[in-house]
Amino acid sequence: MSVLDIQSLTKDFGPQTVLQGLNLHVAEGEFVSLLGPSGSGKSTVFHLIGGLLQPNHGTIYLDGENINGQTGSISYMPQSPSLFPWRTIIENVILGAELFGKPDKEKAKQMLQRAGLGDYIDAYPAELSGGMRQRAAFVRSLLSPQSFICLDEPFSALDEFTRVDMQKWLLSIWEEERPSVLFVTHNIEEAIFLSDRILVLSEKPANVMEEINVTFDRPRSEDVMLTNDFIAMKKQIYQTLRGE
């Protein structure tokens, strides 16, 4: 299990400051969502954690190690599944482990079975629906040797019903594996349904303007979205984002 600790993170792009003095923490086995308006720097945070960008100031620690500018420390799932079309589904999902010389095809087969993809192990991405490709991409992130996962709006391109199904599936798999997750979204309901904690980002230069503990019992069903407490939390976050 991993612990992420970001301290006083600042990132400039030329004259524009995107993040300023950002602090956040993700504990072992915790599911934390970053919620903010479009363009608030959510994906920039991921690029910094993943070592694709260097911060101007501040430090990113993973399990106590400074990983500023260091690639390969986390497992990352982008908005699109990013599956290689010339590799079969099983070849795609073991890719991350393969890069580190640790592919385990038997475990991959078991995970694909749990993901409802057991009949598609030897299929190619073009033969799968969008939701199925997203499930394969998430299995790949779980099979990667890194124990910290960053999920960057992975369901944003899906229709509403498929999206809810994917959220429920993600929670069912996460409940069993319990990796540490930092999840980026701009969907308030999604953040509440999935998370242990929600960090609400301000407009640029972004900082955490509110931290919300989500106390609904796990495992969660979609029925919780219809409760008064859920609706009240959604309203609270909406007002925070609107600056009310």
Side-chain angles (χ1 to χ4, degrees):
M1 291 292 189
S2 293
V3 175
L4 180 75
D5 194 35
I6 293 178
Q7 298 180 3
S8 304
L9 199 66
T10 297
K11 179 60 183 175
D12 301 328
F13 291 103
Q16 185 178 47
T17 301
V18 177
L19 305 172
Q20 187 165 41
L22 180 74
N23 297 291
L24 68 84
H25 178 81
V26 181
E28 287 189 8
E30 190 177 27
F31 199 120
V32 176
S33 285
L34 271 183
L35 183 66
S38 295
S40 61
K42 301 185 296 296
S43 292
T44 299
V45 174
F46 274 10
H47 294 155
L48 289 162
I49 296 170
L52 301 177
L53 296 173
Q54 280 271 15
N56 294 87
H57 304 286
T59 311
I60 304 166
Y61 294 101
L62 186 64
D63 292 334
E65 178 187 353
N66 183 336
I67 61 167
N68 283 20
Q70 181 176 309
T71 59
S73 299
I74 63 162
S75 179
Y76 175 66
M77 182 178 169
Q79 294 179 25
S80 61
S82 300
L83 302 175
F84 288 120
W86 59 87
R87 292 179 69 117
T88 64
I89 295 305
I90 192 162
E91 288 171 344
N92 266 288
V93 301
I94 65 170
L95 180 60
E98 195 175 274
L99 293 173
F100 286 82
K102 302 176 181 178
D104 185 341
K105 277 200 170 185
E106 284 310 308
K107 184 175 181 181
K109 288 178 182 178
Q110 292 171 14
M111 291 291 290
L112 287 169
Q113 287 282 357
R114 287 165 56 192
L117 298 173
D119 293 335
Y120 298 89
I121 286 173
D122 296 317
Y124 290 90
E127 300 174 60
L128 274 63
S129 69
M132 292 164 76
R133 289 195 292 270
Q134 288 294 76
R135 275 182 270 163
F138 184 63
V139 170
R140 179 182 58 194
S141 67
L142 286 173
L143 289 170
S144 294
Q146 306 93 337
S147 57
F148 192 92
I149 301 177
C150 286
L151 304 176
D152 190 357
E153 300 194 60
F155 309 139
S156 60
L158 302 177
D159 65 78
E160 188 64 27
F161 291 109
T162 305
R163 185 182 185 123
V164 172
D165 285 342
M166 285 298 299
Q167 290 167 2
K168 292 189 293 184
W169 176 83
L170 171 59
L171 279 186
S172 70
I173 298 295
W174 178 81
E175 289 281 356
E176 295 179 28
E177 301 290 329
R178 285 284 174 148
S180 303
V181 172
L182 186 61
F183 185 93
V184 157
T185 183
H186 60 266
N187 185 298
I188 298 174
E189 287 190 355
E190 181 171 74
I192 299 171
F193 183 57
L194 294 175
S195 306
D196 296 310
R197 279 189 301 125
I198 300 170
L199 305 177
V200 183
L201 293 184
S202 64
E203 296 277 1
K204 289 185 291 195
N207 208 325
V208 176
M209 60 179 175
E210 187 164 359
E211 178 178 324
I212 296 160
N213 289 310
V214 183
T215 56
F216 300 116
D217 292 339
R218 294 191 185 275
R220 291 176 189 161
S221 74
E222 59 190 302
D223 294 341
V224 73
M225 297 183 187
L226 302 177
T227 64
N228 290 333
D229 288 344
F230 190 100
I231 295 168
M233 185 174 290
K234 180 181 176 181
K235 181 179 179 182
Q236 173 193 349
I237 295 171
Y238 177 79
Q239 290 173 335
T240 298
L241 287 169
R242 287 288 300 268
E244 298 176 4

